[in-house]
């Protein structure tokens, strides 16, 4: 019984006892067989009936066992299997020798050596992958039967060393061939391990003591002989090492439930390494025909077939076929699919259900054992520049496709997830993932990885993104720093750090300037006056609670570089304060955080701070940190920092004016190299506390040293545009940020940065290099203290790809078939391995009743073409084929087995399919498709071709033809493609019989222009020679340029000459003419279809010939024709500019056909660097009118330019020159830089302003209006050079002519501004506009008369027209509806409103040009509320009007003599007629004979006392009342006696106060 393979370890029926029992059982079968055999009786013929083939099979098994012995199975179980297998195989071989009647061992050794495989010494990995090893039980070893331990110690990796070891074995065979009496087991096992295991088997062998002693002696002699024969190892013939395939582990049959997955495993040995093909019922399994159904893998020698979601149709016999050049071997296994007998619910197979049988594989995405994730149209290594945009993307194909579930797509930069921000955005369209940079920064440089996860499966793809520096604004200035971040933040300062740039602009960086900006503003301010060299800096002078952003600029002797990317906002708050205020919102837009202080308590002086220490010290600053005191009270405390020189006690307070609020502080202005001590005091309202303990002595200087330079720089080849650089890290480096790598072309002396973002580690891939160039590299380390010195330059290395064997060819097809031969065609490999393909090898095999036979070689010598005719085939026999490509690195893997083709004579009349389709010149919207004619042309010659195209993912019915008429050429430029879409193409040939079968597909190919793609450029040199030029930056080391005309090579054309050097090529026309019309293309071999073309048609031919003629007879190119301009002092400048001038260029100056020369009147100047030619004249006079010409001669080239200055043109120029002269004179004294103008302010005032220049303290300014001086209260200080005159509430009265005069001892200047007529109207229009814009929204106000709509303006002028409209119609003003202006209020009064007055009211303020509208909706609730208020006010007015009241007639005080009569009359009014009553001393007074009270005619009341008595004195009141209200009128009556008055003297009567009391 054979052992179970490891993949059964998780099955329920697996018995762990197999791990020991299977080894013992298998070994004992051979041992028992040998005991009963005739091997122990010499000369026996017990095995004579066995065929030699059977013994050879045992020998092959022995060879295979040897192969597996080097699987690194270091366990006792494997050692036991090793020793037992060796003895059994050796015994079998020995028996074979005696069965042939021979007593020596030469036959046995010869048989074994003939089957020796070179793989027995290969450093092969075990049959388990890393994932499978982790799943194995800890004490379980996979039973792999190794043959024996080899005789040469060590495991080698190279083919040459494996050949050496096999040669050693043959040398041993020759040495012992003549010896007798030695058993086969002893002769084949000579190592220590094998010798020790043989001693365990000696009990089963009949031999004498003499034989045993001789064995040991010969063993020692053998080891010595092996060392002596080591020199002959290279002479071994490799062909003797080839052996046929053999299954080490065969696939096992399975019985599985429906919907379950199953895996078939097998392990195959053989040399060359066999290729395994899986069959189902003798039909090859096509993975692509059933996506997701089958998964075929080959990993570490283990071959697996996985069948997903088994159903009844998967019940079949499966065969694994292993093939190599020595033959084919098959192994069979059966799969039986059973239905689950319980009540089966299909919904159990969906996500989230856990009630399935344990054997089902259920993922969160439903029933799927595995997802295959592929990336198409992948992004490559990308290069960008700061400030540019960039997009990375690839198409994601997931099999199987689950419609309702989307994968999880995550982007990473240098292993860290990328989150969307204002700098970078991610997008997933359903099948394409993109990462877009809206504004590239150097911080974005790094290795980008896209990871797509579907359930438990994920795939990822990575490529590097390089970001180059933006162009410096100042030549030679350093690049911008990067990664500006906040390290620490508190109330008093924020520590900012950054990374130094890789590019210093050619001179060392002197330091850095730090800028800050408050969040919400654009006001940047510089934080440090002198540059700081350390890459950290504490920023002070911040406002507590405000948020800031920062940026850094580098500076060298050439200037200041561009600023870095701004940091993230950070608030100037202590961390504890941030946590306390985290839930409180910040103030609007400024980012200011609201800070509140606690109520202080009095009486507690804070104690000293504790734990004071220097946490950072540089040559620019020192940072102190401490803990607040325990004794501090409940109020906030402030800190004062003191310093003193080391060893002294003269403490000085550092922050005398600005106390510190946080327990950290940065000190500046310290002497570098000097020693200090520091201490801190606390203070609050109660006083200043005791100082803290002083710090230790601190020396001002950088504690962090600049790192040392890296060493041992080693470059190695990677691709044709990249090199891998490794180095040893800097020794004793602290706080290392990373490394910068630079490259230089050998001999150029110019260094370019390979990265702009420091990289960690000691390995980096430098991309973007030129293929074929030799480079040297150097590295420098960087930390916060600065950049190290450069390392030593590396050795030079040429940029070329590492060479590997090519990938398999593809798409094998039968191009033509005959009675005994067939013509095959195929496509070249996708990857050539970095070297030119030198040939192809074709194998074929017969297929009888679906069963393939052994492979045979079709050609011994390599084939250079991609088509081959195979002869000597059998008629009507079915064949299969495979092709392998070869380059200088070796033979690549063979292609997949082709479809089955029947060898028979083709008699069809139509042509066969074209072949060798290829595409080139792929661009965003076009490509060029080429093909070769069919091998089989049919009965008549091919007359043309039809090209079809469809999108790669479209169905078969989406094919569409690209040409209606048949093409005569074997190429076509396909236009109108969609950018980013993948296409496939096919071609059909046609003859008189019809259209033949389509060719194999070309593609898929994505329509997009590859980065770095260049086009063919036409050039004409100075001699008029026309050439086409092409340059390629992506060439492989063996790439060559191939020029074609109409896609036919032009190698032997007598009209053309081709010259190629490096990555550039040039094709020159010897005599361009009509016969040269056509498409010229240049292809680059050994690349991914890099090509370009250029069309020379009749128009282009004419243009090139004209250009050639111009170059033969050149002219000086004129950049600017002759022109004239007036300079500041009235000078005249004539100038022209040529494109370029050499040092020998000459210029002649001509005026009116006469040459003029330099002198007092004319000044000439020629700048040959810029091509500028100038002539200056101090003044234009009448005799200077005429024609000016500049004649230029530069070598053979000539040129001229003429300027005509005659008539009005000259007079205008002369007048302008004189004006400029006067202007210059004017500007020598005080003058107006900007003349008087007006401006309307936001307060609707008019501001007259002008700008003056060249003024001094004694300069006076005087304002005039209509020639009258205006007194100005303010005195101008001229600090800003602006003089103003403010006119408030501007109106018509302010119209006039305004003038302002500047004067001092140097002269005077004046400026006038006319504000009359049209100018006044224009100003008033602007004033009215400003007033209209100041109008408030319309408001609704109810009055006793009705409803008023109103708005306020700053002030009102009559020029502002007011129009009211109701529901879109202008309002007609009546007595009921009125409009007006009261002060600053503009109103519309609606008296006695009705429902018809509802609607939208618009007030339009017309400023003379534009109408400005304000609208209010007087309807609905607004109208109802206003109307109700109007009714209330109206009733109140009526009540007030008709209320009872005393109109007049009663005095305040009445003084009367006793006995006299008192008569009072008053007028009363009210509607209805009021009721009248009288009061005396607040009591009701009734009418009687003494006091007569009357009320007549409803409006007159009479008060009469016939004889006044002293008792009548008192306070009286008249009360009138009706339904609208009442009123009381009081008066006082004073009665006196004459005698008493005479006696008491004259006294003033008491004054009374009349008061009317109203009550409703």
């Amino acid at each position: 019984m054979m052992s179970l393979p490891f993949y059964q370890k998780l099955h329920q029926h697996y018995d762990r006892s197999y791990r020991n029992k299977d080894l013992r059982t298998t070994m004992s079968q051979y041992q028992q067989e040998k005991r009963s055999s005739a091997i122990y009786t010499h000369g026996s013929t017990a095995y004579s009936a066995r065929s030699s083939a059977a013994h050879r099979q045992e020998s092959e098994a022995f060879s295979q066992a040897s192969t597996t012995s080097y699987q690194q199975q270091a366990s006792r179980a494997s050692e036991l299997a090793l020793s037992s297998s060796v003895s059994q195989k050796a015994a079998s071989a020995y028996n074979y020798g005696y069965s042939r009647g021979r007593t020596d061992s030469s036959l046995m050794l010869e048989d074994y050596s003939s089957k020796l495989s070179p793989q027995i010494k290969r450093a092969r990995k075990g049959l388990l992958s890393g994932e499978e090893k982790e799943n194995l039980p800890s004490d379980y070893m996979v039973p792999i039967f190794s043959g024996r331990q080899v005789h040469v110690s060590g495991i080698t990796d190279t083919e040459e060393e494996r050949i050496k070891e096999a040669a050693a074995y043959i040398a041993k065979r020759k040495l012992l061939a003549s010896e007798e009496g030695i058993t086969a087991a002893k002769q084949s096992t000579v190592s220590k391990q094998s010798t020790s295991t043989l001693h365990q088997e000696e009990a089963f062998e009949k031999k004498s003591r003499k034989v045993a002693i001789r064995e040991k002696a010969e063993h020692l002699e053998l080891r010595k002989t092996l060392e002596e024969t080591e020199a002959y190892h290279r002479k071994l013939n490799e062909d003797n090492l080839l052996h046929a395939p053999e299954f080490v582990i065969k696939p096992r049959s399975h019985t599985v439930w429906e919907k379950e997955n199953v895996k078939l495993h097998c392990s195959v040995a053989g040399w060359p390494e066999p290729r395994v093909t899986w069959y189902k019922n003798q039909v090859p399994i096509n993975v692509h025909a059933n996506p997701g159904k089958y998964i075929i893998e080959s990993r570490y020698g283990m071959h697996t077939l996985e069948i997903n979601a088994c159903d009844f149709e998967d019940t079949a016999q499966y065969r694994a076929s292993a093939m190599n050049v020595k033959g084919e071997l098959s192994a069979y296994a059966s799969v039986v699919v059973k239905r689950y007998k319980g009540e089966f619910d299909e919904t159990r197979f969906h996500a989230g259900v856990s009630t399935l049988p344990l054997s089902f594989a259920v993922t969160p995405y439903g029933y799927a054992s595995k997802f295959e994730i592929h990336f198409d149209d992948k992004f490559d290594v990308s290069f960008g520049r700061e400030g540019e945009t960039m997009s990375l993307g690839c198409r994601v194909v997931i099999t199987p496709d689950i419609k309702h579930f989307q994968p999880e797509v995550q982007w990473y930069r240098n292993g860290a997830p990328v989150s969307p921000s204002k700098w970078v955005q991610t997008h997933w369209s359903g099948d394409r993932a993109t990462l877009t940079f809206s504004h590239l920064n150097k911080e974005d440089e790094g290795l980008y990885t896209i990871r797509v996860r579907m359930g438990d499966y994920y795939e990822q793809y990575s490529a590097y993104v390089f970001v180059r520096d933006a162009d410096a604004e100042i030549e030679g200035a350093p690049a911008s720093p990067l990664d500006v971040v906040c390290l620490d933040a508190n109330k008093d300062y924020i520590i900012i750090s950054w990374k130094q740039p890789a590019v210093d602009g050619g001179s060392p960086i002197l330091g850095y300037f730090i800028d800050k900006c408050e969040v919400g503003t654009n006001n940047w301010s510089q934080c440090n006056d002198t540059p700081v060299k350390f890459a950290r800096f504490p920023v002070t002078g911040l406002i507590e609670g405000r948020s800031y952003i920062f940026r850094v600029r580098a500076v060298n002797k050439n200037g200041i570089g561009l600023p870095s990317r701004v940091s993230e906002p950070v608030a100037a708050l202590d961390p504890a304060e941030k946590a306390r205020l985290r839930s409180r919102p910040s103030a609007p837009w400024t980012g200011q955080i609201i800070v509140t202080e606690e109520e202080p308590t009095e009486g507690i002086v804070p104690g000293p701070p504790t734990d004071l220490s220097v946490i950072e010290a540089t040559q620019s600053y020192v940072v102190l940190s401490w803990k607040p005191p325990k004794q501090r009270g409940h109020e906030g405390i402030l800190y004062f920092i003191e310093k003193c020189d080391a060893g002294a006690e003269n403490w000085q307070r550092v922050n005398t004016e600005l106390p510190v609020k946080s327990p950290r502080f940065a000190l500046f202005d310290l002497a570098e190299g000097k020693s200090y001590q520091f201490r801190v005091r606390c203070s609050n309202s109660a006083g200043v506390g005791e100082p803290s303990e002083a710090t230790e002595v601190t020396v001002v200087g950088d504690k962090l040293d600049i790192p040392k330079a890296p060493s041992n720089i080693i470059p190695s080849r990677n691709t044709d545009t990249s090199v891998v650089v490794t180095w040893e890290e800097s020794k004793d480096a602290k706080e290392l940020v990373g490394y910068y790598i630079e490259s230089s072309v050998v001999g150029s002396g110019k260094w370019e940065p390979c990265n702009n973002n420091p990289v960690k580690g000691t390995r980096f891939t430098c991309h973007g290099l030129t293929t074929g160039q030799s480079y040297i590299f150097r590295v420098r380390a960087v930390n916060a203290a600065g950049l190290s010195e450069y390392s030593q330059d590396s050795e030079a290395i040429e940029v070329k790809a590492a060479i590997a064997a090519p990938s398999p060819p593809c798409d094998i097809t039968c191009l033509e078939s005959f009675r005994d031969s067939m013509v095959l065609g195929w496509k070249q490999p996708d990857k050539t391995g970095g070297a030119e393909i030198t040939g192809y090898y074709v194998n074929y095999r017969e297929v009888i009743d679906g069963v393939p036979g052994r492979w045979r070689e079709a050609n011994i010598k390599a084939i250079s073409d991609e088509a081959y005719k195979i002869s000597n085939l059998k008629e009507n026999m079915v064949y299969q084929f495979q092709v392998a490509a070869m380059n200088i690195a070796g033979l690549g893997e063979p292609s997949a087995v082709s479809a089955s083709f029947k060898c028979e004579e083709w008699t069809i009349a139509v042509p066969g399919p074209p072949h060798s389709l290829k595409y080139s010149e792929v661009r965003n919207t076009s490509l060029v498709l080429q093909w070769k004619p069919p091998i089989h042309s049919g009965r008549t010659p091919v007359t043309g071709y039809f090209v079809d195209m469809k999108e790669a993912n479209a169905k078969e019915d989406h094919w569409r033809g690209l040409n209606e008429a048949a093409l005569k050429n074997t190429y076509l430029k396909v236009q109108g493609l969609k950018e980013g879409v993948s296409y496939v193409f096919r071609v059909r040939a046609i003859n008189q019989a019809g259209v033949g079968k389509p060719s194999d597909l070309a593609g898929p190919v994505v329509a997009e222009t590859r980065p770095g793609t260049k086009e063919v450029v036409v050039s004409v040199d100075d001699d008029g020679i026309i050439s086409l030029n092409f340059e390629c930056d992506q060439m492989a080391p063996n790439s060559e340029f191939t020029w074609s005309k109409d896609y036919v090579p032009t190698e032997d054309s007598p009209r053309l000459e081709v010259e190629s050097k490096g990555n550039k090529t040039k094709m020159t026309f010897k005599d361009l003419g009509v016969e040269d019309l056509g498409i010229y293309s240049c292809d680059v071999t050994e690349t991914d279809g890099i090509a370009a073309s250029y069309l020379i048609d009749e128009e282009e031919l004419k243009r090139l010939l004209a250009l050639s003629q111009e170059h033969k007879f050149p002219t000086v190119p004129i950049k600017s024709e002759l022109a004239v301009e007036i300079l500041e002092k009235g000078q005249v400048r004539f100038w022209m500019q040529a494109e370029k001038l050499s040092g020998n260029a000459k210029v002649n100056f001509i005026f009116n056909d006469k040459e003029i020369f330099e002198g007092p009147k004319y000044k000439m100047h020629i700048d040959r660097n810029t091509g500028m030619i100038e002539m200056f004249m101090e003044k234009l006079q009448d005799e200077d009118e005429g024609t000016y010409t500049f004649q230029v001669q530069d070598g053979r080239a000539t040129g001229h330019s003429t300027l005509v200055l005659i008539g009005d043109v000259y007079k205008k120029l002369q007048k302008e020159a004189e004006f400029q002269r006067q202007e210059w004179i004017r500007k020598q004294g005080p003058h107006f830089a900007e003349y008087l103008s007006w401006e309307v302010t936001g307060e609707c005032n008019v501001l007259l302003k002008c700008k003056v220049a060249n003024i001094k303290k004694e300069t006076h300014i005087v304002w005039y209006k209509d020639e009258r001086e205006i007194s100005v209260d303010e005195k101008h200080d001229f600090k800003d050079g602006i003089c103003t005159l403010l006119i408030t509430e501007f109106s018509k009265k302010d119209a006039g002519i305004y003038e302002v005069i500047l004067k001092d001892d140097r002269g005077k200047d004046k400026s006038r501004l006319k504000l009359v007529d049209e100018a006044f109207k224009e100003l008033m229009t602007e004033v009215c506009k400003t007033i209209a814009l100041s109008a408030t929204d319309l408001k609704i106000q109810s009055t006793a008369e009705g409803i008023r709509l109103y708005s306020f303006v700053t002030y009102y002028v009559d020029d502002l027209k007011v129009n009211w409209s109701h529901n879109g119609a202008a309002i007609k003003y009546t007595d009921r509806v009125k409009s007006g202006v009261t002060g600053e209020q503009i109103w519309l009064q609606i008296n006695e409103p009705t429902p018809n007055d509802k609607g939208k009211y618009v007030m339009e303020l017309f400023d003379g040009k534009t109408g400005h509208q304000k609208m209010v909706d007087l309807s609905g609730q607004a109208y109802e509320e206003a109307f109700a208020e109007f009714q209330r006010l109206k009733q109140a007015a009526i009540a007030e009007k008709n209320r009872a009241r005393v109109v007049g007639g009663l005095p305040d005080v009445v003084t009367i003599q006793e006995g006299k009569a008192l008569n009072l009359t008053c007028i009363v009014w009210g509607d209805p007629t009021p009721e009248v009553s009288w009061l005396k001393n607040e009591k009701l007074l009734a009418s009687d004979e003494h006091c007569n009270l009357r009320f007549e005619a409803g409006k007159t009341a009479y008060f009469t006392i016939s004889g006044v008595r002293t008792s009548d004195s008192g306070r009286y009141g008249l009360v009138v009342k009706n339904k609208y209200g009442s009123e009381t009128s009081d008066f006082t009556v004073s009665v006196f006696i004459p005698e008493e008055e005479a006696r008491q003297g004259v006294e003033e009567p008491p004054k009374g106060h009349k008061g009317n009391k109203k009550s409703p």
Side-chain angles (χ1 to χ4, degrees), residues 855-1019:
W855 286 105
R856 300 177 185 178
E857 296 178 351
N859 58 309
I860 303 300
K861 187 177 180 180
I863 308 164
S864 59
D865 296 330
E866 295 166 12
Y868 182 64
K869 182 177 182 180
I870 304 174
S871 304
N872 300 323
L873 301 179
K874 299 177 182 180
E875 187 176 5
N876 295 326
M877 177 63 71
V878 177
Y879 290 92
Q880 290 179 339
F881 304 90
Q882 63 178 189
V883 183
M886 183 178 69
N887 61 10
I888 60 175
L891 188 66
E893 293 291 330
S895 65
V897 179
S898 71
S900 298
F901 301 112
K902 189 175 183 180
C903 182
E904 59 183 356
E905 186 79 27
W906 281 3
T907 60
I908 56 177
V910 296
H915 65 98
S916 300
L917 272 69
K918 69 174 184 178
Y919 48 83
S920 60
E921 303 178 34
V922 181
R923 302 295 185 265
N924 289 336
T925 59
S926 65
L927 58 81
V928 174
L929 184 67
Q930 303 176 52
W931 59 90
K932 291 184 180 180
I935 302 297
H936 176 71
S937 61
R939 294 180 182 175
T940 59
V942 174
T943 58
Y945 303 92
F946 291 97
V947 181
D948 301 331
M949 176 188 76
K950 76 177 184 71
E951 294 185 9
N953 297 329
K955 298 180 180 179
E956 288 298 316
D957 57 356
H958 283 66
W959 284 102
R960 62 185 180 90
L962 297 179
N963 55 307
E964 296 180 359
L967 297 172
K968 300 297 182 182
N969 301 319
T970 57
Y971 64 88
L972 175 65
K973 185 166 186 178
V974 182
Q975 303 276 7
L977 303 180
K978 298 179 181 178
E979 183 178 356
V981 178
S982 181
Y983 294 92
V984 292
F985 302 88
R986 68 184 185 187
V987 182
R988 296 170 294 155
I990 184 174
N991 61 8
Q992 293 182 357
V995 180
K997 293 183 178 180
S999 66
D1000 287 341
L1001 300 184
V1005 56
V1006 178
E1008 65 177 3
T1009 303
R1010 292 179 52 181
T1013 298
K1014 297 184 178 180
E1015 302 294 342
V1016 173
V1017 179
V1018 64
S1019 65

Side-chain angles (χ1 to χ4, degrees), residues 416-427:
V418 176
S419 300
S421 65
K422 66 177 180 180
W423 308 107
V424 60
Q425 297 85 33
T426 59
H427 179 67

Side-chain angles (χ1 to χ4, degrees), residues 1438-1487:
I1438 294 174
E1440 180 64 23
K1441 178 180 179 182
N1442 298 326
R1443 177 178 59 83
R1445 61 171 63 88
V1446 177
V1447 178
L1450 291 179
D1452 291 336
V1453 177
V1454 178
T1455 302
I1456 190 170
Q1457 184 179 349
E1458 184 179 14
K1460 298 289 184 179
L1462 175 63
N1463 293 309
L1464 297 177
T1465 302
C1466 70
I1467 305 301
V1468 176
W1469 189 90
D1471 186 15
T1473 302
E1475 299 176 358
V1476 177
S1477 60
W1478 296 85
L1479 298 176
K1480 178 182 180 183
N1481 296 329
E1482 304 297 334
K1483 294 182 179 179
L1484 186 64
L1485 178 65
S1487 178

